Amino acid sequence: MKADVAMGRSRMSIARGAIRPVGTAREFLALELGSARYGDIVSVKAVIEAIRRDAPYMRDTDNELMEEIVDLTRKLGLAVLFDSRE
């Protein structure tokens, strides 16, 4: 199963089943958002929670992760829900 971080839904992550640890936040995000469709809404809170849960070795701060999320979602044509402070 793949984590569905769009619309705040969360499932088991594809990164957890990867053969090797995902090296960078951008690689992790690419795996997580790979099945999202143009126009889907991505929850910043859900993505950061997925990274912290499935890739605890990542040293990126929440602000650095948010910057990567915004950059990648923009390139993929996804919308961003800024709900990380809730």
Side-chain angles (χ1 to χ4, degrees):
M1 280 188 145
K2 170 143 180 36
D4 188 356
V5 294
M7 300 296 290
R9 296 180 299 256
S10 181
R11 297 184 190 144
M12 191 168 103
S13 171
I14 193 169
R16 183 177 293 172
I19 295 172
R20 62 175 175 75
V22 177
T24 66
R26 182 164 288 275
E27 290 173 347
F28 184 91
L29 291 169
L31 287 171
E32 288 294 311
L33 301 175
S35 67
R37 295 180 309 219
Y38 185 85
D40 280 352
I41 300 171
V42 176
S43 164
V44 169
K45 183 177 181 178
V47 174
I48 291 174
E49 286 175 355
I51 290 172
R52 298 293 181 227
R53 180 187 63 241
D54 299 336
Y57 50 84
M58 294 273 176
R59 298 291 182 217
D60 303 69
T61 66
D62 286 357
N63 287 338
E64 291 169 332
L65 292 173
M66 190 178 310
E67 185 177 329
E68 290 288 340
I69 292 164
V70 170
D71 186 49
L72 187 57
T73 55
R74 181 181 52 82
K75 289 177 182 174
L76 295 173
L78 306 173
V80 179
L81 176 62
F82 292 96
D83 58 349
S84 62
R85 302 284 188 236
E86 292 180 0

